Structure formats: structure tokens, C-alpha cells
Amino acid sequence: MELPFAESYRIKMVENIRKSTREEREQWIREAKYNLFNLKSDYVFIDMLTDSGTGAMSDQQWAALMLGDESYGGARSYYNMKEAIKEILGFDYFLPTHQGRAAENVLYSTIIKEGDILPGNSHFDTTKGHIEYRRAIPIDCTIDEASDTQLEIPFKGNVDPFKLEAVLKKYPAEKIPCVILTVTNNTAGGQPVSMQNIREVSALCKKYGVALQIDSARFAENAYFIKMREKGYADKTIKQIVKEMFGYADIMTMSSKKDAIVNMGGFVAFKNEALWKKAQMFCIMNEGFITYGGMSGRDMNALAQGLHEGTEFDYLETRIKQVEYLGARLDGYGIPYQRPVGGHAIFVDAKKILTNVPKEEFIAQTLGIELYLEAGVRGVEIGAMLADRDPVTRENRYPKLELLRLAVSRRTYTNNHMDVVAAALKNVYDRRDTITRGYRIVNEFPIMRHFTVELEPAH
Ligand SMILES: *Cc1c(COP(=O)(O)O)cnc(C)c1O
């Protein structure tokens, strides 16, 4: 018989997690002002808040930590990271930062002026935050198909080249510091971007004289999907595909807490030496000296090793098959989510489930709270709370999709945990018609409110 699929690793160390009662969870979520970010992690049984920095490092990464060089200038660990970035991604120049948004801060401090335009595919929330904070404007050029959750197409994260060209035509190149291509497209459901699309976007950038930045948190997962789904790539290795992807880019930013499988770290990399030099000042001011930026030597070592492991096919297959496993369980219960399954998470279509909750009362947030109450499973809202208010009118923005993201941490949970998540969601799904009210905001920050917002039940 054909052998079943099994993980490409075994477990060497474990961390205990604790179950709780519904009564306990009701008290804890009330005390957390109904904001899932505010919960103590000890109050969570299965944590799907994010896959960022929550992965399990390998024995090789832990070993690399011990070999970290903590020298202020010119540490060996810096050169290890430099070598890995050159070998795997093909960039000559880089600056280490403490995480992805810090890389954005260094880059955008260098290249954005007030009033600039930054087109791309569904800018990530911190990316959008950094752009709007500088009074520049992100323009979302994602394909329209991305907002139809039930449509099965292989590369739902793509940029619509017509939308992008319309923006590039409308504004002079001096007003467009770069085009931002996010791989995978996190906000649209961890959906990949095809190589053909990367090529098209790059050609448009060249035609209009604009740089291409790849926001690369999940570049390896994107490469896996290209290998599995795009014609002509089945026989290429992940590392070959990655090299081609970044061959089209001028700049990359990376939250290494994702596909480099470290708990903290990131970087911004450049092909152009002059731009790298210009950015150094902002690295020194905000992060640290240019050979460590926001990172310790040991962490740079673990990151370098993580880039190698994160671009191994066996690792990626194990990871993405686990997300697919959860998707298949939800299919069995008829629970709608963004199809096909994305790279790092399942994005449950909350609008299709909680049809009685008005959009003003935060549909996906309400589903997230219900799932937590049901089983101590913590997801995160990708909906009106995250979309925040229009920077000019200050009116709430209501995006087309209200999604509850269930992120799967790398090498962390087993498929038994996925079974619990699916069953808990089924129980909520079965009583969906009884859920008629959501939550209202009591307190919010002027920008990026979702992390700290305080809520109360709307009834
Ligand atoms: C996580 C992420 C970021 C920001 O990185 P942090 O490490 O969380 O600061 C930027 N872009 C994308 C696509 C991400 O997923």
C-alpha cells in the first residue's frame, strides 16, 4: 500500500500547555476587554493568533545560537547572515533589524516623502501603517478574484497588472518610491503570487522606472506553491525558484519570524549599494550599528541557519500539508474559508457564518471570541477592526471580507491539535444562528488600533 504522509522531523523538546473551563475563559476574555491580543498566553490552549516568531527552532538552530559572535562591529554572525542572504536570496547588501516592521521603518525613512504613492498587493498592516504614518498612500492592486472566498484559483495573491499600470501611468515616477509585492499575500489569505505575475510586475516597474520591493515574510511558502502549481516549475528546487523570484526585485524586507523560523529578527536588503548606504543612517538611529542592527549575534546565526532550513522542500511540504489537513477537516463540516488553503493559515469566512451580526459590530472579531470561549483556541480578526479608519475622513472602513485567521505555527502543533480546532469551530458553526450581536469599541489608538483596542458586548 502507499505509505501515508508523515512529518519530516521528530520532537526533541516539549512545552506543556493547559486546558481551561468555559467559565474561566468567560472571565479572562472579559478582563482582556474582548481583545484576543490582550489574553495571557497561559489562558490559551491552542494559539493560532499568529505564525510570527512562534515556530520551533531546530537542533541545528539552537546549536548555531551557541556559536553566536556578539562583537559590536563585524561579528562572524553578521557574515554568516550575509552569506546566507547572498546564497539563497541573491542580495549583496543588507541591514539586520529587530523584526519586519523595523526593516520597513529603515527602508521607508530612506525612500518615502509625504504624498508618495505605493502600489502593491494587499499591503500588510504594519506596512500600511508605516506608509500612512508618513502621509503617503498605499494603493491595493490585488486581483478582484481574491475577495471571492469560494473561488479556487492557484495564485489568488497576484497583482492585477492593469490596476498597477493605471497607477504607474497616473503618477510621475518621482512620486512612487517603489511597488510593494507581498509574498505570500498575507492579507488576502496567505495566497501565493505566481512567477509569471512577479515577472509582469517587474516588467511594469522597469517600463515606468520604479523600484520593486518584495515584502518577503513568507517567500519560501510562495516558492513551494510555485513549484506545486505553476507550469514549468515542478522539477525546480525551492532554492532555484527563490533565486528566480528575487532576481526580479531591487529591494526586499523580511520578517524573519516567519519563513526563517526564528523567534525574533528581520532585515532589509538591497541590490543597489548607494541606497544601502543611504539607509544605514536610519538603521544606526533606530536599530543599531550596521553589522547587528536590531539583532544579537546568536540570533543572526539562527536566522542564517533558518533561511537554509526554511527553503528545504521536505520542511515546506510538512508545513503546508498541516494547513491543508486543517482545511480538509473544515471541509468535512461545511465551514467556509478562503479557498484554496493558503500557506500559513486558514482564513475562515466569518461573514458567511455569522450572518446575523451587523458589520458595525465586528463580525470576524465576534467569531474569534466565540471560538476562544468554545475551546481556548485563539485566532485573529482580519476585518473591519484591522482595516481601521480612513486616515483623512476618520470613518470606519468596512472591507469586503471579514475573516478569522487561524495561523499555524511552524513545527509546533500536531494534527491532533488541528482536530480540536476544527471540532471547536464546528460547535460554533452549529449554533451560528443564535449569535446575533457583536462588540463595540470603548477605546482605540489613532493608528493600528487592533493590537490594543478595548471592546464591550454590543447588547
Ligand atoms: C509579519 C509581516 C510583516 C511585519 O513583520 P514583523 O516581524 O511582525 O514586524 C510585514 N509584512 C508581512 C507580509 C508580514 O507577514
Side-chain angles (χ1 to χ4, degrees):
M1 79 192 266
E2 197 187 331
L3 298 179
F5 182 78
E7 291 80 1
S8 64
Y9 49 79
R10 56 186 175 181
I11 296 164
K12 194 176 259 191
M13 190 189 279
V14 295
E15 178 183 7
N16 292 319
I17 49 177
R18 179 182 172 289
K19 291 176 197 167
S20 52
T21 64
R22 184 167 178 116
E23 289 66 40
E24 286 175 318
R25 292 192 292 273
E26 280 171 0
Q27 186 194 330
W28 294 336
I29 192 72
R30 192 166 51 241
E31 287 168 359
K33 311 278 193 220
Y34 301 96
N35 180 342
L36 294 157
F37 285 100
N38 271 341
L39 284 170
K40 284 189 183 171
S41 66
D42 284 342
Y43 297 166
V44 175
F45 179 46
I46 301 172
D47 206 347
M48 308 189 88
L49 182 69
T50 176
D51 61 324
S52 178
T54 55
M57 290 206 296
S58 69
D59 52 352
Q60 298 289 327
Q61 285 180 291
W62 282 103
L65 284 184
M66 295 304 290
L67 299 174
D69 173 0
E70 306 303 339
S71 301
Y72 195 98
R76 278 189 310 279
S77 305
Y78 167 80
Y79 288 101
N80 289 341
M81 191 167 155
K82 182 175 164 70
E83 249 171 59
I85 289 173
K86 174 67 182 168
E87 184 186 328
I88 296 170
L89 307 162
F91 284 80
D92 284 316
Y93 308 101
F94 84 104
L95 297 166
T97 60
H98 74 274
Q99 58 184 94
R101 68 199 67 183
E104 292 167 352
N105 187 31
V106 170
L107 175 63
Y108 297 149
S109 296
T110 315
I111 64 173
I112 292 185
K113 314 179 293 306
E114 187 171 333
D116 280 352
I117 307 290
L118 291 100
N121 55 339
S122 323
H123 309 66
F124 183 67
D125 52 350
T126 61
T127 318
K128 189 151 73 74
H130 271 297
I131 295 169
E132 290 180 345
Y133 181 74
R134 291 174 170 81
R135 299 184 188 284
I137 303 157
I139 298 183
D140 187 357
C141 301
T142 308
I143 54 171
D144 289 334
E145 290 91 327
S147 54
D148 175 355
T149 63
Q150 300 311 296
L151 182 73
E152 297 250 7
I153 54 171
F155 293 102
K156 232 173 171 177
N158 279 356
V159 167
D160 182 333
F162 295 102
K163 287 190 197 172
L164 176 61
E165 184 153 22
V167 176
L168 293 172
K169 254 192 194 142
K170 185 166 168 194
Y171 301 95
E174 309 81 73
K175 269 186 92 73
I176 309 179
C178 62
V179 169
I180 306 169
L181 191 63
T182 305
V183 298
T184 56
N185 185 331
N186 184 353
T187 314
Q191 298 292 328
V193 176
S194 70
M195 192 72 86
Q196 190 197 333
N197 195 243
I198 299 175
R199 216 176 282 129
E200 280 170 351
V201 169
S202 156
L204 283 172
C205 287
K206 289 209 167 70
K207 180 172 167 192
Y208 289 91
V210 171
L212 176 59
Q213 176 207 342
I214 301 190
D215 180 357
S216 317
R218 299 180 186 81
F219 73 93
E221 291 169 9
N222 199 86
Y224 174 87
F225 286 118
I226 288 176
K227 181 176 169 72
M228 304 310 280
R229 296 180 183 171
E230 192 162 349
K231 205 164 151 259
Y233 289 91
D235 297 329
K236 294 217 155 70
T237 65
I238 297 294
K239 286 186 165 68
Q240 286 170 330
I241 295 170
V242 164
K243 259 292 176 51
E244 184 181 342
M245 282 166 55
F246 287 105
Y248 298 110
D250 302 295
I251 305 166
M252 72 176 286
T253 48
M254 182 176 187
S255 168
S256 303
K257 302 166 72 171
K258 282 67 171 246
D259 276 358
I261 332 176
V262 289
N263 303 118
M264 192 53 74
F267 61 91
V268 50
F270 306 90
K271 297 261 172 82
N272 179 302
E273 187 181 6
L275 194 56
W276 170 64
K277 289 213 166 129
K278 217 171 146 194
Q280 288 179 359
M281 183 177 83
F282 296 102
C283 181
I284 292 169
M285 258 188 342
N286 296 300
E287 294 292 300
F289 182 60
I290 58 167
T291 61
Y292 70 88
M295 298 184 72
S296 54
R298 53 182 170 269
D299 287 336
M300 289 193 282
N301 261 11
L303 196 163
Q305 173 64 21
L307 282 176
H308 286 286
E309 290 178 20
T311 47
E312 287 295 331
F313 179 79
D314 286 351
Y315 152 74
L316 285 165
E317 185 184 35
T318 298
R319 161 154 186 71
I320 290 174
K321 278 198 189 295
Q322 184 168 48
V323 185
E324 286 170 353
Y325 176 88
L326 176 57
R329 295 276 86 66
L330 298 188
D331 287 341
Y333 302 138
I335 297 168
Y337 59 85
Q338 170 73 303
R339 312 186 71 88
V341 171
H344 66 293
I346 297 277
F347 291 67
V348 181
D349 191 337
K351 231 186 208 173
K352 284 204 162 61
I353 298 174
L354 298 185
T355 51
N356 296 329
V357 176
K359 71 174 190 308
E360 293 77 12
E361 295 179 6
F362 303 106
I363 302 165
Q365 180 71 16
T366 304
L367 185 64
I369 293 166
E370 288 296 329
L371 181 64
Y372 173 71
L373 289 172
E374 185 66 33
V377 174
R378 170 159 72 171
V380 73
E381 188 249 27
I382 309 263
M385 194 72 73
L386 179 71
D388 218 313
R389 291 137 297 173
D390 185 285
V392 180
T393 67
R394 305 310 290 161
E395 293 289 320
N396 273 322
R397 292 190 279 214
Y398 294 102
K400 273 184 240 161
L401 295 179
E402 281 283 342
L403 302 168
L404 175 65
R405 187 184 79 173
L406 303 175
V408 180
S409 292
R410 294 166 182 77
R411 309 191 284 210
T412 302
Y413 291 108
T414 67
N415 286 359
N416 289 332
H417 293 111
M418 298 303 119
D419 286 341
V420 172
V421 172
L425 202 53
K426 179 193 188 301
N427 290 346
V428 175
Y429 187 63
D430 286 347
R431 59 181 168 77
R432 62 190 179 279
D433 292 339
T434 66
I435 304 165
T436 57
R437 299 301 301 266
Y439 294 82
R440 74 169 78 90
I441 293 177
V442 184
N443 243 320
E444 59 189 328
F445 275 5
I447 197 165
M448 305 203 66
R449 65 180 177 190
H450 54 290
F451 288 120
T452 51
V453 71
E454 296 181 356
L455 303 169
E456 64 182 14
H459 54 271

